[in-house]
Amino acid sequence: NNNNGNNNNYDELDTLLNFSSEDKSKSKKHKKAKFTTSDFTSLDSVISPITENHQNHKLTAAQVLNHESFFKLIVSLVQALIRKNMFTDAFEVLHSAMERRSIDSSQVPSENRHELRMLGAAIAFRIKDHKRAFQYVKYVCPMYPSNIGLWNFFCQFLSSGDVLVAQRKFLVSQLSLHPNSAPLMILVGNTCLMTGSYSLAISLYFRAYRQFPSEPFLNLIIGICFLLKATAKNEANRHNTVMQAFTFLYKYHSLSTIKANKIEADYNLGRAYHHLGLYYLAIPYYNQVLRTGAFTENKEENNLVREAAFNLSLIYRASGNIRLAQETIRDFLTI
């Protein structure tokens, strides 16, 4: 009897301590498993599968975590990938998260959804996937119609005038929904300016001007628009339009107090007179650019110096002063 009892105890120990050959093979596979970069591109592999009741029932991160925790997990993972310069993987993780219903659920705060879309736009812009980046920004911008920085980011994807004109329908519809949005007034005005609708562009710029009368850029763009309108073939009151143009251009010049802006303002005034063929008025402003920015190390200011020098050489050459044109080129345009 004692021997039988001992044998039974040994049998129980065997069943408790020994693995079957199948279990051993499974454990070896788990030991050899390693994470690869592709594992991070799938949200289903962010959290390892959880088994319940000894069944292979897989749960994803979105099912285990609440909305706020899942949002923080995605942002943390994307930021970790960005720190490793894995921008493509970061975008795929973010893009797959945006496709899930859990992100678009009404229970998720709108700020979280907008933050993910802006993060996706920034990463897509970095990897030069401009199409998807533009779609993300195009979704977020209407949520903040008066945010100038956001609309500036929107304009970075409009690399050519044709693209801006193509988005005119979208911009006009947004302006009708947000009639007090100054960025939208300016953007729609720019599309009108590019298509030659100067009067309509001026009316839109003036709507924004009422909100920001001391903004140098608005005074500049209104002055340019009047100047282009004055040089159009079908303009009846040309002289009055020129006076209106320089009213805003001189106000823009007076509002530009920083050195870099002052150089740009001098150049723009000289270029305006140059455009009208008033060379004797353009030369002093071009020379002022050369005197102020000749020894600067700022790249943009140096570019304006070269532009002013080249325009001066064209004026001197047109007036027959070839020697002075050559001296200007030698002093400012020769490497």
Side-chain angles (χ1 to χ4, degrees), residues 238-308:
R238 194 180 307 275
H239 296 290
N240 185 46
T241 307
V242 170
M243 293 294 292
Q244 289 175 313
F246 279 96
T247 299
F248 286 96
L249 288 175
Y250 274 109
K251 185 178 180 181
Y252 152 72
H253 187 271
S254 65
L255 290 172
S256 303
T257 55
I258 304 175
K259 178 185 175 183
N261 294 342
K262 195 70 174 178
I263 294 175
E264 183 180 343
D266 288 333
Y267 175 83
N268 286 332
L269 263 179
R271 186 67 186 86
Y273 282 122
H274 191 176
H275 180 72
L276 294 176
L278 302 174
Y279 298 148
Y280 70 97
L281 293 174
I283 290 174
Y285 286 102
Y286 283 148
N287 283 325
Q288 182 65 28
V289 173
L290 298 183
R291 286 192 297 269
T292 308
F295 303 103
T296 182
E297 296 181 358
N298 187 291
K299 185 177 179 181
E300 293 182 359
E301 294 177 12
N302 280 330
N303 290 339
L304 286 178
V305 169
R306 288 191 287 269
E307 291 288 343

Side-chain angles (χ1 to χ4, degrees), residues 44-59:
D44 292 339
S45 62
V46 174
I47 293 183
S48 59
I50 300 175
T51 58
E52 294 182 350
N53 298 326
H54 304 286
Q55 295 179 356
N56 293 327
H57 180 64
K58 296 183 178 180
L59 296 177

Side-chain angles (χ1 to χ4, degrees), residues 87-96 99 117-138 153 156-159:
F87 295 102
T88 303
D89 294 334
F91 180 77
E92 292 302 326
V93 169
L94 196 59
H95 182 67
S96 60
E99 294 298 322
R117 284 189 168 87
M118 286 304 300
L119 185 59
I123 299 173
F125 184 74
R126 177 64 181 267
I127 63 177
K128 298 182 178 181
D129 189 348
H130 292 166
K131 183 177 180 180
R132 286 198 281 188
F134 183 75
Q135 293 300 322
Y136 281 143
V137 176
K138 192 175 178 180
F153 188 53
Q156 291 187 24
F157 303 103
L158 308 179
S159 57

